Amino acid sequence: MKLDPKEIWFVTGSQHLYGDETLRTVADHSTKIARSLNDADELPVRVVYKPLLTDPDAIRNLCIEANSSPACAGLIVWMHTFSPAKMWIGGLTRLAKPVCHLHTQFNRDLPWASIDMDFMNLNQAAHGDREAGHLHTRIGLRRKVVVGHWQDPEVLQRLGAWARVARAWSDLQGAKICRFGDNMREVSVTEGDKVSAEATFGFSVNGYGVGDLAAAVSRVCEPQIDDLCSVYEREYAVQADLKKGGRRHDSLREGARIELGLRDFLDEGGFKGFTTTFEDLHGLRQLPGLAVQRLMADGYGFGAEGDWKTAALVRFMKVVGDGLPGGTSFMEDYTYNLDPAGPQVLGAHMLEVCPTIAKGKPSLEVHPLGIGGKEDPVRLVFDAKPGKALNASLVDLGHRFRLIVSEVKAVEVPPMPKLPVARALWEVLPNFKDGVAAWIYAGGAHHTGYSAAVTTEHLLDFAEIAGIEALVIDAETDLREFRNEMRWNDSTYGRG
Ligand code: MN
């Protein structure tokens, strides 16, 4: 994906009490840690060392500078020494960027034979970071706390997860989601408060007439279509009668025309995601299928039937997972295999599943679609890769947003020669009955962001930054405790 380069600022707190020599050593240690984090593959962003902070004015100025820097996606903060935390109130109460509190220590092992009070006074994050943590809690600072030595692989992995989320959060601020038409009529879960969403998550959602998209599609030139059809033949196993000279080649050309027009429309508007609805296609000859699949593969968020929350979530998850193995797609829990030996969910959609989750080369086919009353749409057909994955759903409960994460185990998809859509097959954790019951009690949608790249840790970091409720359904979930957690959350957030 083409993402704007982002930085994480490495911020170290101290005070003047220790004298210049100690502060020089602190700065030297911090520089080494920042450089090491910058070089770590786990963090997909630049890590920038910021000069030591030792007084309230410098702290406030740094936070204001962070807020106004488009490149700054967040701050990693650490107290190498004791930094009296009232100095941080003025800065942190103004800070609008994500924070990760790295509770680490420069030295890993204590030098037992040589340790003296100078060493003790230099290496005192153990109590300096407790003073910081107290103030963070006191002012309600949302943050991630990562504990351990800065070279510990698990610490790097956790910092990296947060840095990915901070980068994706930055991408979401000011992001525009384009909604062609409105919601699928009478559907509840895809509705929601777009004003609250913008205030909470930073992305905006606005509607456009599908006629404007149809006009962009009609402006596409034939040579562009020729070129794109050649790309299709290179990248996919194209059904024989769709190929050039084939009986149904015109269907493929129409799919290419829709892709080119949709891409132009989204590029011109600077959109990062979009929704369609099969109930509002006036002027388009096919429901966009292949076009949506290929745009998702390029990093656009997508939600069907007007589902703008899932479109934004899919975009966010794609940025989080960028460069990691495993893809991310719009998904729908479609139908079940209720074999008592191992119940499974077959996930699919009418057309719009992203080929980044495909196992092997997708097949490009055309089939009738019994819904929408349009011409037969072209689409990519494939099986999703087996392995660990998750489904995430963002729902609007009317007075708050809830993020629900369900960890799943994707399995090999058996041959289904008559099913003309892309599909994934998975087992739900902790088991089918409890996992699905938890999802339904939580009010999770039938649409999700499905990912083999994004983890529960990423999504919990996201919920913390956004300040929203998050519920996790995984191997540890106990349905009775899960339902109690929701009751407790209702008393925290109110029932509206
Ligand atoms: Mn749907």
Side-chain angles (χ1 to χ4, degrees):
M1 288 172 66
K2 277 176 280 173
L3 299 172
D4 293 335
K6 294 290 174 186
E7 301 171 348
I8 296 294
W9 291 4
F10 189 81
V11 174
T12 311
S14 189
Q15 62 177 326
H16 287 295
L17 186 72
Y18 303 105
D20 288 346
E21 195 190 327
T22 300
L23 290 184
R24 270 196 297 277
T25 308
V26 169
D28 176 52
H29 289 172
S30 292
T31 308
K32 286 196 172 89
I33 295 176
R35 194 178 302 142
S36 165
L37 296 181
N38 183 56
D39 293 343
D41 292 338
E42 288 87 346
L43 284 84
V45 292
R46 266 185 79 205
V47 177
V48 178
Y49 169 79
K50 288 288 165 181
L52 280 191
L53 296 176
T54 55
D55 66 70
D57 288 342
I59 294 167
R60 188 185 298 105
N61 289 339
L62 185 278
C63 291
I64 291 168
E65 191 192 340
N67 287 348
S68 56
S69 162
C72 175
L75 272 57
I76 295 175
V77 299
W78 172 52
M79 308 302 134
H80 186 322
T81 49
F82 197 83
S83 183
K86 283 168 66 182
M87 298 197 303
W88 290 75
I89 295 172
L92 292 180
T93 53
R94 277 166 184 76
L95 185 65
K97 295 285 168 101
V99 175
C100 182
H101 183 185
L102 172 61
H103 180 47
T104 192
Q105 182 168 279
F106 184 70
N107 56 300
R108 194 193 71 176
D109 303 330
L110 277 183
W112 304 106
S114 64
I115 186 168
D116 57 11
M117 278 318 286
D118 286 345
F119 183 93
M120 295 277 274
N121 285 331
L122 177 63
N123 298 289
Q124 50 178 307
H127 67 284
D129 270 332
R130 280 175 162 76
E131 165 76 353
H134 167 75
L135 190 270
H136 299 168
T137 295
R138 172 80 191 260
I139 64 172
L141 181 73
R142 295 201 296 266
R143 79 280 195 194
K144 180 176 194 175
V145 179
V146 175
V147 177
H149 190 254
W150 49 282
Q151 290 168 317
D152 174 349
E154 190 189 333
V155 166
L156 291 173
Q157 180 270 320
R158 298 203 63 211
L159 288 174
W162 173 82
R164 285 187 167 278
V165 173
R167 176 173 69 162
W169 178 258
S170 183
D171 175 81
L172 206 58
Q173 304 314 298
K176 294 161 70 180
I177 305 294
C178 170
R179 199 166 188 236
F180 293 111
D182 197 84
N183 202 58
M184 180 178 165
R185 289 186 276 277
E186 307 288 9
V187 173
S188 173
V189 75
T190 47
E191 292 279 11
D193 182 341
K194 298 195 276 291
V195 176
S196 289
E198 186 164 349
T200 304
F201 302 105
F203 64 81
S204 67
V205 182
N206 286 291
Y208 292 82
V210 73
D212 294 334
L213 172 59
V217 169
S218 72
R219 285 194 293 272
V220 172
C221 310
E222 298 301 319
Q224 291 174 275
I225 295 174
D226 295 337
D227 291 347
L228 189 53
C229 287
S230 308
V231 171
Y232 294 161
E233 295 211 14
R234 275 203 306 278
E235 293 189 12
Y236 312 116
V238 180
Q239 191 180 312
D241 55 0
L242 283 178
K243 288 185 178 171
K244 196 168 181 182
R247 189 173 56 86
R248 307 208 59 185
H249 183 59
D250 276 352
S251 294
L252 187 66
R253 296 187 68 81
E254 191 56 29
R257 188 189 309 279
I258 292 172
E259 176 182 336
L260 290 160
L262 182 52
R263 205 177 273 278
D264 283 347
F265 190 98
L266 296 174
D267 284 351
E268 278 166 27
F271 296 106
K272 290 177 176 173
F274 64 104
T275 72
T276 58
T277 168
F278 64 86
E279 287 176 334
D280 192 350
L281 293 174
H282 191 77
L284 294 181
R285 284 169 50 194
Q286 299 176 7
L287 173 65
L290 173 64
V292 172
Q293 292 179 294
R294 284 176 47 84
L295 284 160
M296 255 196 284
D298 288 343
Y300 287 89
F302 174 75
E305 292 102 45
D307 189 350
W308 52 270
K309 292 189 297 299
T310 304
L313 181 63
V314 167
R315 165 66 185 192
F316 181 82
M317 291 169 74
K318 281 187 170 287
V319 179
V320 169
D322 185 54
L324 293 176
T328 295
S329 180
F330 171 74
M331 186 57 73
E332 180 165 304
D333 295 80
Y334 223 110
T335 193
Y336 294 140
N337 176 36
L338 290 178
D339 179 352
Q344 296 163 325
V345 182
L346 180 62
H349 205 257
M350 284 186 291
L351 306 168
E352 311 92 333
V353 175
C354 178
T356 57
I357 65 168
K359 176 189 170 189
K361 195 178 202 177
S363 165
L364 179 44
E365 305 175 12
V366 64
H367 300 276
L369 183 71
I371 206 162
K374 292 283 170 175
E375 293 176 13
D376 298 351
V378 285
R379 82 286 302 272
L380 296 171
V381 179
F382 54 84
D383 296 338
K385 277 192 208 96
K388 279 177 74 168
L390 57 74
N391 279 299
S393 171
L394 183 63
V395 295
D396 184 345
L397 297 182
H399 59 294
R400 72 180 197 257
F401 292 100
R402 169 180 279 173
L403 181 70
I404 305 146
V405 181
S406 170
E407 293 188 5
V408 303
K409 182 184 160 208
V411 297
E412 290 286 351
V413 183
M416 289 177 276
K418 294 198 167 169
L419 186 70
V421 291
R423 59 278 191 137
L425 186 67
W426 63 79
E427 296 168 0
V428 174
L429 295 175
N431 58 70
F432 179 82
K433 287 176 179 169
D434 288 350
V436 173
W439 185 274
I440 287 174
Y441 276 124
H446 58 289
H447 286 169
T448 63
Y450 172 94
S451 183
V454 174
T455 65
T456 296
E457 179 174 16
H458 290 134
L459 292 167
L460 290 179
D461 287 353
F462 166 54
E464 177 72 14
I465 292 169
I468 62 163
E469 180 190 11
L471 295 170
V472 176
I473 304 165
D474 64 6
E476 308 300 315
T477 295
D478 174 278
L479 188 57
R480 203 161 45 184
E481 285 175 14
F482 184 86
R483 296 188 66 192
N484 278 333
E485 182 182 345
M486 286 195 291
R487 293 183 183 106
W488 300 327
N489 287 356
D490 279 343
S491 65
T492 299
Y493 293 93
R495 287 189 60 88

